[in-house]
Amino acid sequence: PVFVAEVALPPGGVGQLTPDYLAPSHSGAAVAAGCDLCADGAAARRCLTCGADLCLFCCQAHRRQKKTASHAVTELENTKDCSQAGKPLFCPSHPTEELRLFCEQCDQPVCRDCVVDRHRQHPYDFTGNVIHRHGDALRELLKSTQQHMGTLEDVLGQIDDMGSAVRSRAEAVATEICLFASGYVKAIEVHRDRLLKQLEDLKVQKENLLHLQKAQLQQLLLDMRTGVGFTERLLTSGSDLEILITKGVVASRLAKLNSVAYNTHPSVDDGIQFSPQERAGQCCGYEVFGAILNKVVDPGRCTLHGEDLHSARQHQLTGFTLLCNDTTGERMGRGGEAVRVTVTHKDKRDCAVKPTVCDNGDGTYHISYSPEEPGLYAVCIYVKGQHVQGSPFTLMVKNKFREHQGVFHCCTFCSSGGQKAARCACGGTMPGGYQGCGHGHKGHPGCPHWSCCGQVKESSECLGGPPSDTSQRSLLRTVAL
């Protein structure tokens, strides 16, 4: 395996980078091919003290020599996969010097020459003294990395499981979609057949009514032609006596034919429409849309309803209702018609009210508006670009409802606590002071009224103008008391 890591370039350049002592070219497997002493035999054992690979002959000689007899020798099979743990490593800058020291400042192994050269005055120590501290820190990092590896392996397993679940779920949902779509298509086809059957029945019904009307009118026309032909021959070829004898029967026949009531228009129309947005209920368990509409709105039969149809108040929201009917006068029962309303001041053309049209969905439409100016307005209501019944009409907008500013009383004497000088804005007076409650002002004998304008109806609108300073002071005093 290859270990990839980013390493900062030292000040000395590429040449100062730490060599890879674990590279395969330095491994035991590479040097085990031959003996390090004789270079002829195949290496079979390794001296852990010297770090040399030995053949069997050199190994025996190595053990017989007094200087190397105590060296630890092991089978090469046990060490060929290991690094140069028992072999000395030499400094790349000083090849004859072994790396036995460790520079704490530069965080790298050094030799004795390095300490007196490039690492002068750097804190250092023997590798055997610092290996425990650095090894423990490395082991802690190794432990943390191993934990992350376990977590990553679990997450990768979960990702694989989730991928399988997603594929299975997608297949199940695809099956549901296909079942839904096939059912929906079937429901639409059934609904289509129903609509075509309704259309055929409606066409046959209208054709039968037209055939019946046609037969009746053809028979009436035939009877009239017969009567007219007989009468014309009688008048042109008959004698006076024959005319006088048969005139009664002929006149009765013609009168009876003339009195027959008949429709001057076809009894039915071609008002057949298809509305794709119309809800058509459930079909085979699915909600479907699309309906055949036989009714056609007739603007001339649409009516307006509302108490405040012709009158309104300034700055007060009011409105009325439009009821749409078909050509037979029956209520449409559905919305969606093109309704347009205009409310324009008759004297001020630039003063127009913007009404709001609310489609109730049942054939009725509520039109609401709030006029800003009093006066006469022209109101036009259009359905399909045509005036409805009663349109246009005149709307009278009155001034804003004026609230009473005074008090509703019988006299100022009573409402002011007995002050003879108190005056009422209505103009009534009380000569002589108190004469008993209920007598009223002069001009209002025994009649309760509003002190601000003299209106005798308590729930009425104030009609008085702004009072003078004197009457205002008296009025305020009267109201306060």
Side-chain angles (χ1 to χ4, degrees), residues 281-322:
Q282 295 283 332
C283 182
C284 300
Y286 294 85
E287 185 177 3
V288 292
F289 293 82
I292 295 176
L293 307 178
N294 185 26
K295 291 184 175 183
V296 179
V297 66
D298 185 356
R301 293 181 179 270
C302 298
T303 55
L304 301 171
H305 304 272
E307 296 181 358
D308 300 330
L309 194 60
H310 298 282
S311 63
R313 286 279 183 180
Q314 182 183 9
H315 300 302
Q316 182 176 341
L317 184 64
T318 185
F320 54 89
T321 300
L322 168 66

Side-chain angles (χ1 to χ4, degrees), residues 359-471:
D359 187 349
N360 298 323
D362 58 356
T364 62
Y365 301 81
H366 184 70
I367 295 93
S368 58
Y369 56 92
S370 178
E372 297 182 358
E373 295 289 338
L376 289 176
Y377 287 79
V379 182
C380 299
I381 299 95
Y382 304 92
V383 173
K384 290 186 175 181
Q386 302 179 30
H387 283 283
V388 302
Q389 184 178 347
S391 174
F393 63 88
T394 301
L395 170 69
M396 180 61 188
V397 177
K398 300 179 181 179
N399 289 314
K400 185 179 180 181
F401 189 86
R402 298 183 60 180
E403 301 288 343
H404 288 285
Q405 302 298 319
V407 293
F408 190 72
H409 63 180
C410 65
C411 63
T412 54
F413 185 85
C414 298
S415 61
S416 63
Q419 298 182 21
K420 298 181 181 180
R423 297 185 61 81
C424 181
C426 70
T429 58
M430 267 192 60
Y434 177 71
Q435 297 179 13
C437 182
H439 64 275
H441 297 311
K442 183 179 181 182
H444 294 276
C447 183
H449 59 281
W450 284 99
S451 63
C452 49
C453 63
Q455 282 278 75
V456 296
K457 188 176 180 180
E458 188 172 5
S459 60
S460 61
E461 181 181 7
C462 184
L463 301 179
S468 62
D469 295 341
T470 305
S471 58

